[in-house]
Amino acid sequence: MVASSNTQAQADVTPVLDYDAIIIGAGMSGMYQLYRLRALGLRVLVLEAGTGVGGTWYWNRYPGARFDSESYSYAFSFSKALLDEWDWGEHFSGQPETLRYLNHVADKFDLRKDMQFRSRVASAYFQEASRSWDITLEDGRHYTSRLMITAVGPLSAPTMPNIPGVDSFKGESCHTARWPHEPVSFEGKRVAVIGTGATGVQTIQEVAKTAKSLTVFQRTPNWCAPLLNSKISKEEMEQLRAGYPAMFQRCLETYSCFLHTPDTRGTFEVTPEERTAFWEKLYASPGFGIWLGNFKDILTDRAANAELSAFVANKIRQRVKNQAVAEKLIPRNHGFGTRRVPMETKYYEVYNQDNVQLVDISETPIERITETGIKTSTAAFDFDMIIYATGFDAITGSFDRIDIRGTNGQKLKDRWKFGPETYLGVMVDGFPNMMMVIGPHMALGNIPRSIEHNVDWVTDLVRYLRDHNITRVEATAGEVQTWTDHVKSLGEGLLLNEVNSWMTGVNTNVEGKQVRIVNRYSGSAPDYRAKCDAVAASQYKDMALA
Ligand code: NA7
């Protein structure tokens, strides 16, 4: 690494490395990490598999893809000039607008000059002798770097369903996270969607508008809630801009960095009438309020959760005309908010349309994909197009795809076989000079807010290493154990951790991922930041520096 006070003797033994830092991924994490490390004067390269910046917002260009969080609260906050010049068009911006924004950021800060696209990392091996990482791309190109910073995203390894015959379909088919860059028309087509998570819901409500027929294959219904998006007028944008300092400050203070934060009251501390009135208000308000701004105990108290679930179930019954269909859309195996709540725009009303059919594959499972469509246990359907909204090998999946080996050839994938083990979600013992931005055990919440803190923290650490001529940094086994135990203990008592979902690391399409694990930090973001800041203030005394 470029050192502030390198002596000639040190320079002689320092191996010639291609880079001081290689960042994997050009999503929001990688973009901001590049910006910060370049400002330190480091030689940095970003390796990105796609052909452009944006990460999640580059890949997920499926119809209807959009923010579920308020656009302005989800944007970068680090540059006043950027905040001053960017106007958001909608309260919950669609993917095209978000991708335009991220390209604007890349242009403004000239980020692309240190980025290499079409560069999927296949392996990364730590070399003890040179205290560096050897990083090889799928096409064989190879680089060396003192530091490796993963910015690979928690939801970036899409998974196709493990249904026999997936490759045999002769019509058009696509996973939502691999959607083509060219426009796709549904007009006159018989379309199938498999999957009813946040992605499936957004896709379904869009495809239903123009498809000749839409057949939704639902294995597990999810509790969805109205997004209530709207346009932002010029005057409103100016008001929002004037309120940025207060808004970002609020995000720093709330539990998960969202604008919404739990009500201080318990569900049963109010009368039934007050309760219903509060829920009616939340159901009629835009965004995640009904999930994250609800009574404080809805995600920990079973009775409270059941009461809220019953309220939302009735909303579904009111909105769907055919009551047999409504009952199929009401989740039975988990309570409201214990999985990621898909935000919807007239999703339930879609099932009142003549061109839309719901197939409950928990009753009649899909047996196989055929050349012409989908065969369930009771029927065969023909389609022109099959859309797979089947989700991701979440959080650790994006790491598993890369052959990462630390000291003594230890594989990260093996190390995390029974769940991730980390220090602050940023480092792992046995993997020196590797830092993770938005890795496992991180406070996800409002992710860009977490990214900014995470990147700033990593940048401070890198600056410290540079200023002290330190070329090897590693978390200790003891600290990794302590942090991992802490993260696990924070997850106890949360109803969310008792349910199968990507948030608990379960993916039926991935071998070895059928058992629930704790892969996210579920404490408060302010607590997380306080812990990280204390470590920095201690000058990283609990880490092994050499
Ligand atoms: P999710 O939330 O993991 O949803 C995936 C959906 O696909 C879900 O309904 C699954 O049913 C279904 N699925 C997965 N595999 C199969 C198979 N083999 N057969 C039938 N159905 C299947 O992913 P999303 O992309 O919607 O959302 C991920 C996150 O991205 C989201 O929470 C936001 O934070 C952004 P299941 O529920 O497993 O029965």
Side-chain angles (χ1 to χ4, degrees):
M1 192 173 334
V2 178
S4 57
S5 58
N6 252 349
T7 63
Q8 187 56 46
Q10 279 170 327
D12 289 345
V13 294
T14 303
V16 179
L17 299 173
D18 298 332
Y19 294 96
D20 298 319
I22 283 184
I23 298 166
I24 307 176
M28 289 185 82
S29 302
M31 291 170 74
Y32 183 47
Q33 186 67 79
L34 168 63
Y35 172 80
R36 292 299 318 269
L37 289 187
R38 217 164 55 178
L40 287 185
L42 265 55
R43 295 170 303 137
V44 190
L45 175 69
V46 175
L47 295 171
E48 164 60 49
T51 58
V53 299
T56 290
W57 302 102
Y58 168 90
W59 293 103
N60 288 276
R61 44 183 85 221
Y62 60 84
R66 98 172 31 254
F67 277 151
D68 283 342
S69 308
E70 290 74 5
S71 320
Y72 27 93
S73 78
Y74 221 66
F76 284 121
S77 73
F78 67 86
S79 161
K80 175 149 187 328
L82 177 61
L83 291 169
D84 283 347
E85 71 194 16
W86 184 264
D87 287 357
W88 288 101
E90 293 179 274
H91 283 274
F92 302 90
S93 91
Q95 177 271 343
E97 184 181 4
T98 304
L99 189 59
R100 265 200 313 281
Y101 167 73
L102 293 173
N103 274 294
H104 172 76
V105 175
D107 290 340
K108 181 175 178 65
F109 299 107
D110 199 9
L111 297 179
R112 288 191 199 82
K113 77 173 154 67
D114 293 311
M115 291 178 164
Q116 196 175 291
F117 299 104
R118 295 189 175 83
S119 299
R120 185 175 287 286
V121 175
S123 68
Y125 296 168
F126 182 68
Q127 305 296 336
E128 192 65 77
S130 51
R131 299 181 166 190
S132 63
W133 284 91
D134 270 11
I135 297 173
T136 306
L137 305 186
E138 274 182 353
D139 62 14
R141 282 176 290 168
H142 169 261
Y143 310 89
T144 56
S145 175
R146 174 73 71 215
L147 305 174
M148 175 172 80
I149 300 176
T150 65
V152 291
L155 292 158
S156 56
T159 46
M160 290 292 279
N162 54 355
I163 303 171
V166 163
D167 293 332
S168 59
F169 182 62
K170 295 266 193 276
E172 295 173 77
S173 68
C174 190
H175 190 287
T176 45
R178 289 292 175 272
W179 201 260
H181 289 213
E182 304 72 41
V184 176
S185 164
F186 308 108
E187 242 154 88
K189 291 181 187 164
R190 299 159 303 166
V191 182
V193 174
I194 303 179
T196 49
T199 301
V201 165
Q202 288 186 333
T203 306
I204 289 161
Q205 62 200 21
E206 196 60 32
V207 174
K209 289 179 186 165
T210 53
K212 179 178 175 200
S213 71
L214 168 62
T215 311
V216 175
F217 291 85
Q218 170 191 270
R219 187 165 67 180
T220 314
N222 283 297
W223 296 102
C224 311
L227 179 66
L228 302 173
N229 184 29
S230 57
K231 298 248 186 290
I232 299 175
S233 67
K234 213 78 205 115
E235 303 75 60
E236 205 178 351
M237 188 62 231
E238 288 317 317
Q239 279 169 12
L240 284 166
R241 202 181 331 270
Y244 274 157
M247 185 202 69
F248 286 120
Q249 184 56 34
R250 176 171 169 77
C251 289
L252 283 180
E253 288 162 7
T254 61
Y255 198 92
S256 326
C257 304
F258 287 105
L259 293 175
H260 311 276
T261 199
D263 195 278
T264 51
R265 298 167 298 170
T267 303
F268 300 110
E269 287 169 25
V270 301
T271 65
E273 293 72 30
E274 284 171 314
R275 200 155 52 231
T276 306
F278 182 49
W279 286 340
E280 288 289 358
K281 186 170 149 251
L282 289 176
Y283 199 80
S285 306
F288 276 141
I290 192 150
W291 188 26
L292 304 171
N294 215 308
F295 293 116
K296 64 180 179 188
D297 52 1
I298 58 139
L299 298 177
T300 49
D301 182 310
R302 270 170 232 289
N305 187 270
E307 198 84 5
L308 173 61
S309 300
F311 171 87
V312 181
N314 275 335
K315 290 288 179 199
I316 299 172
R317 290 187 186 103
Q318 285 160 15
R319 293 174 58 184
V320 178
K321 286 187 188 142
N322 181 329
Q323 288 305 292
V325 174
E327 292 307 316
K328 285 187 200 302
L329 289 165
I330 296 171
R332 310 284 163 189
N333 67 353
H334 67 282
F336 182 89
T338 61
R339 288 173 133 203
R340 177 17 168 112
V341 175
M343 301 306 291
E344 46 89 17
T345 303
K346 303 209 182 305
Y347 172 65
Y348 290 110
E349 286 73 11
V350 156
Y351 295 98
N352 298 334
Q353 292 180 206
D354 292 340
N355 65 334
V356 178
Q357 182 186 1
L358 178 68
V359 178
D360 182 346
I361 52 172
S362 69
E363 283 174 3
T364 56
I366 297 178
E367 287 181 347
R368 61 178 305 110
I369 309 288
T370 64
E371 282 191 14
T372 55
I374 294 177
K375 184 176 178 322
T376 68
S377 58
T378 53
F381 301 82
D382 284 346
F383 295 112
D384 300 305
M385 184 189 290
I386 301 178
I387 300 173
Y388 297 101
T390 44
F392 301 87
D393 183 358
I395 302 186
T396 51
S398 14
F399 290 86
D400 292 351
R401 289 195 298 184
I402 306 172
D403 180 12
I404 299 176
R405 298 191 199 185
T407 51
N408 303 319
Q410 177 187 194
K411 289 188 182 181
L412 186 64
K413 188 174 179 183
D414 293 345
R415 172 67 189 274
W416 285 354
K417 193 163 181 205
F418 301 107
E421 297 174 343
T422 77
Y423 179 51
L424 305 175
V426 179
M427 302 200 70
V428 188
D429 60 298
F431 296 83
N433 294 4
M434 177 179 96
M435 291 122 186
M436 303 177 288
V437 179
I438 310 296
H441 290 176
M442 272 293 306
L444 291 180
N446 182 341
I447 292 186
R449 303 281 64 76
S450 302
I451 287 173
E452 286 190 337
H453 174 265
N454 213 188
V455 165
D456 288 347
W457 193 89
V458 167
T459 307
D460 287 345
L461 171 61
V462 172
R463 184 191 294 109
Y464 185 86
L465 302 178
R466 182 199 64 181
D467 291 350
H468 294 81
N469 289 332
I470 294 163
T471 51
R472 191 183 190 285
V473 55
E474 185 179 357
T476 66
E479 288 300 322
V480 167
Q481 186 69 52
T482 304
W483 178 254
T484 301
D485 290 346
H486 174 59
V487 171
K488 285 183 181 166
S489 72
L490 287 170
E492 280 166 21
L494 283 183
L495 300 176
L496 205 131
N497 282 349
E498 298 174 7
V499 173
N500 289 353
S501 76
W502 67 260
M503 290 189 168
T504 50
V506 176
N507 186 319
T508 58
N509 304 308
V510 182
E511 213 187 307
K513 297 213 169 164
Q514 268 76 49
V515 178
R516 287 199 284 271
I517 55 167
V518 176
N519 56 16
R520 295 166 310 112
Y521 172 88
S522 45
S524 80
D527 285 352
Y528 174 78
R529 285 194 298 270
K531 169 70 184 165
C532 291
D533 294 348
V535 170
S538 80
Q539 304 207 322
Y540 315 99
K541 71 173 174 46
D542 292 327
M543 294 163 75
L545 308 174

